[in-house]
Amino acid sequence: MSELDETDRRLLNALQREGRLSNADLSDKVNLSPSACHRRVQRLEKDGFISGYVALVNPRKVDRKTTVFVEITLRAQADDVLDAFEKSVARIPDVLECHLMAGQADYLLKVVAEDAEDFARIHRRYLASLPGVQGMQSSFALRTVRQTTALPV
């Protein structure tokens, strides 16, 4: 974080809140000239501080109202087992996140589904056939209390 000054942080915070700001509006928000603002944003992109721009889709509007967190324990920790699991899970369209964990579970997956029945389909079709799996524990989210994509900078 030492490469970021206060102006860079203001730029990142503004873009995290509203990624579609025009350069003119962004420069106004952070008190920079449009040309200086454009150069800084380009540098932040080039240096990897900004890795991309996306539209955040409302899951309820696309019938993905159910979020399930799945803890997975593997039979072994060998590199080939981990690699095979990670390659397979990366191909499952309903898995939004997959994290290698420290603790009881080896992996934590965030899965979206229409409902419990749809999750059963995802489980049968994809999760049950993941390589190297010894155990699986699924927890359904009842309500999302806080969700953000904005990192504190």
Side-chain angles (χ1 to χ4, degrees):
M1 294 273 295
S2 62
E3 299 177 46
L4 295 176
D5 64 16
E6 189 54 39
T7 302
D8 291 333
R9 286 183 176 82
R10 287 195 320 269
L11 282 165
L12 291 173
N13 282 322
L15 287 170
Q16 285 187 102
R17 282 190 307 276
E18 198 175 350
R20 290 186 67 176
L21 280 173
S22 68
N23 186 62
D25 290 339
L26 181 60
S27 66
D28 284 346
K29 279 191 183 283
V30 299
N31 298 318
L32 274 180
S33 70
S35 59
C37 181
H38 183 69
R39 280 193 306 274
R40 278 187 179 252
V41 170
Q42 282 185 315
R43 182 183 50 79
L44 290 167
E45 291 169 348
K46 181 180 148 293
D47 292 349
F49 288 99
I50 298 171
S51 59
Y53 297 88
V54 299
L56 299 175
V57 176
N58 182 337
R60 292 189 170 287
K61 294 290 189 179
V62 293
D63 273 342
R64 294 295 184 271
K65 297 177 278 243
T66 303
T67 301
V68 185
F69 295 94
V70 182
E71 295 180 55
I72 295 182
T73 306
L74 299 181
R75 289 188 187 96
Q77 302 291 311
D79 283 343
D80 60 330
V81 175
L82 298 173
D83 289 343
F85 175 85
E86 291 174 7
K87 285 179 184 156
S88 293
V89 83
R91 291 191 293 267
I92 303 173
D94 308 287
V95 174
L96 297 186
E97 298 176 22
C98 175
H99 303 273
L100 178 61
M101 304 296 289
Q104 294 252 331
D106 294 311
Y107 287 92
L108 178 65
L109 278 55
K110 180 179 179 182
V111 180
V112 291
E114 293 176 25
D115 50 28
E117 186 177 319
D118 187 42
F119 178 72
R121 175 196 61 82
I122 295 164
H123 187 279
R124 278 191 315 275
R125 182 170 180 194
Y126 298 110
L127 302 179
S129 62
L130 287 169
V133 173
Q134 177 180 330
M136 201 176 307
Q137 174 72 42
S138 301
S139 299
F140 283 71
L142 299 177
R143 181 168 49 105
T144 300
V145 177
R146 174 170 161 71
Q147 181 176 3
T148 183
T149 60
L151 297 171
V153 290

